[in-house]
Amino acid sequence: DAGVIQSPRHEVTEMGQEVTLRCKPISGHDYLFWYRQTMMRGLELLIYFNNNVPIDDSGMPEDRFSAKMPNASFSTLKIQPSEPRDSAVYFCASSIVAIPGLAGEYNEQFFGPGTRLTVL
Amino acid sequence: GNSVTQMEGPVTLSEEAFLTINCTYTATGYPSLFWYVQYPGEGLQLLLKATKADDKGSNKGFEATYRKETTSFHLEKGSVQVSDSAVYFCALRGSYIPTFGRGTSLIVHP
């Protein structure tokens, strides 16, 4: 398996422009997570999906951020309009559901290589 | 809510030194515990995990034991290499949402 795939790997844009980040999870995984990583805030969970349905978007910082998962093999994170403070590395991660019936048997996440976003 | 606390870095060691990175957690129920490693310019990748009390996870010479009585999951390695230089994240998952620590940077000098 190729692992979680993200594109682009690097994005440089100007303030006010729309930015779209893309993610292809590992086939068969039914959870997909979007994270943002910065030196100041560390790793922040933005939103996660289960079976293509958004479950919790409480980490999305503002209405400028939106995420979709139209099918099991593709998700996007969009920032419109972008601002310099959005500069960060954005990670997508996927996971399969916990093994039913076994207490504590939660599975690990598989992370993509990230997209480094710079907003000028 | 759940939380993970790990020691602040950077941790700077000479090659072949012993490594310990402390991690403690707060959680309800029976979470699974993880250590992830992030090399420069890459995403996080699983280093090891333990799913119940007293389990020991191990990989690439690293070990961590799930201690429920002390709510800890300290990472250890007997002899570090320059190639171990990276950021290490302790994490727990007691529900569908994982909780990560802030990460500890490890720098190993030749």
Side-chain angles (χ1 to χ4, degrees):
Chain A
D1 199 318
V4 176
I5 299 172
Q6 291 187 248
S7 65
R9 291 296 310 275
H10 302 273
E11 176 81 32
V12 180
T13 190
E14 293 190 346
M15 183 174 63
Q17 296 299 305
E18 177 179 295
V19 174
T20 299
L21 311 181
R22 297 173 177 80
C23 174
K24 176 179 169 56
I26 293 173
S27 177
H29 284 192
D30 53 0
Y31 280 84
L32 184 139
F33 304 80
W34 281 101
Y35 289 90
R36 178 171 69 176
Q37 186 179 40
T38 61
M39 289 294 292
M40 290 294 294
R41 294 175 176 269
L43 195 65
E44 301 175 274
L45 176 64
L46 301 177
I47 185 171
Y48 79 97
F49 296 81
N50 176 222
N51 291 323
N52 314 337
V53 177
I55 303 301
D56 186 348
D57 65 354
S58 59
M60 297 284 260
E62 298 172 34
D63 291 345
R64 298 184 295 108
F65 286 70
S66 62
K68 294 182 180 180
M69 192 165 185
N71 57 62
S73 58
F74 184 65
S75 178
T76 60
L77 178 67
K78 185 176 294 187
I79 308 173
Q80 165 64 17
S82 58
E83 296 183 4
R85 59 192 166 127
D86 301 330
S87 297
V89 181
Y90 291 81
F91 290 104
C92 173
S94 69
S95 175
I96 56 174
V97 71
I99 302 171
L102 293 176
E105 291 281 350
Y106 290 97
N107 293 311
E108 66 271 25
Q109 295 170 296
F110 293 79
F111 283 76
T115 295
R116 181 173 294 277
L117 173 65
T118 302
V119 183
L120 304 174
Chain B
N2 296 340
S3 67
V4 173
T5 303
Q6 57 182 111
M7 60 191 292
E8 299 231 357
V11 173
T12 304
L13 296 172
S14 297
E15 204 165 26
E16 299 184 3
F18 184 86
L19 168 72
T20 299
I21 300 178
N22 291 334
C23 171
T24 57
Y25 68 90
T26 302
T28 55
Y30 304 93
S32 292
L33 302 176
F34 307 87
W35 277 102
Y36 289 84
V37 59
Q38 184 180 28
Y39 299 104
E42 299 183 10
L44 282 70
Q45 55 185 275
L46 181 70
L47 180 60
L48 54 83
K49 70 177 183 181
T51 56
K52 55 184 182 293
D54 300 324
D55 266 3
K56 177 185 283 187
S58 61
N59 185 27
K60 299 180 181 179
F62 291 89
E63 293 183 339
T65 300
Y66 190 146
R67 301 287 188 199
K68 194 165 178 64
E69 64 277 12
T70 55
T71 62
S72 64
F73 193 55
H74 304 321
L75 182 68
E76 296 181 336
K77 186 175 186 182
S79 176
V80 294
Q81 305 300 311
V82 172
S83 57
D84 294 327
S85 297
V87 180
Y88 293 82
F89 291 86
C90 184
L92 70 83
R93 199 171 182 189
S95 66
Y96 299 114
I97 302 178
T99 302
F100 284 84
R102 287 296 304 260
T104 301
S105 175
L106 170 66
I107 301 168
V108 181
H109 294 293

